[in-house]
Amino acid sequence: MATFVKAQVSSLSASILDFLTTIVCKHVLNFGVILGSGTGTTVGGIANFLIGRNWVFDSKQGKIQNQAIKYFIVWFGNLVLTTSGVYLVTHYFQLSNYVLPKILVSGVIGVPYNYLMQKKFVFI
């Protein structure tokens, strides 16, 4: 249970960084919603990998290159799922605000996909 809680803290921290990056990209750098969301997901993913490896799963003994490749595969799946989900929700519901759809989509994907894939595949 401690690992699950630490993973949620890591995920929340990475998500905050993801959302801040997305907002800066969208409102300061004038990126489109999809590019801003993708950039935020990238920044959050890097942070989550480093926190997961060093604190959540305490998996520093594993080769970082192998973990990074596995993490990238999982992260890329998350990127596709999250970005597609944000697009679908904002497009089909004709929402101009992307923040709520991003929160919703990230939450739906976070626990069942990211946690389980990191625990069972990346940091074993």
Side-chain angles (χ1 to χ4, degrees), residues 92-117:
Y92 287 107
F93 291 102
Q94 299 177 349
L95 301 172
S96 59
N97 185 343
Y98 61 90
V99 176
L100 186 58
K102 187 161 173 86
I103 291 169
L104 175 68
V105 170
S106 296
V108 168
I109 293 169
V111 173
Y113 179 79
N114 289 326
Y115 174 71
L116 291 175
M117 290 298 286

Side-chain angles (χ1 to χ4, degrees), residues 7-121:
Q8 299 318 302
V9 170
S10 175
S11 179
L12 180 61
S13 300
S15 292
I16 290 169
L17 190 56
D18 174 348
F19 281 82
L20 288 174
T21 302
T22 300
I23 291 166
V24 167
C25 286
K26 173 73 173 109
H27 296 286
V28 176
L29 301 175
N30 296 316
F31 287 12
V33 172
I34 302 307
L35 181 58
S37 179
T39 303
T41 300
T42 301
V43 170
I46 292 168
N48 196 40
F49 171 75
L50 295 173
I51 296 168
R53 181 176 198 276
N54 293 301
W55 181 60
V56 175
F57 299 100
D58 193 23
S59 190
K60 292 175 279 206
Q61 73 283 359
K63 290 187 177 182
I64 193 167
Q65 297 88 350
N66 293 341
Q67 291 173 340
I69 290 167
K70 289 178 180 179
Y71 186 87
F72 178 78
I73 293 167
V74 172
W75 170 86
F76 186 76
N78 178 69
L79 175 67
V80 169
L81 291 170
T82 301
T83 305
S84 299
V86 169
Y87 171 77
L88 290 172
V89 172
T90 57
H91 180 74
Y92 287 107
F93 291 102
Q94 299 177 349
L95 301 172
S96 59
N97 185 343
Y98 61 90
V99 176
L100 186 58
K102 187 161 173 86
I103 291 169
L104 175 68
V105 170
S106 296
V108 168
I109 293 169
V111 173
Y113 179 79
N114 289 326
Y115 174 71
L116 291 175
M117 290 298 286
Q118 288 179 32
K119 181 178 180 182
K120 303 289 185 184
F121 177 65

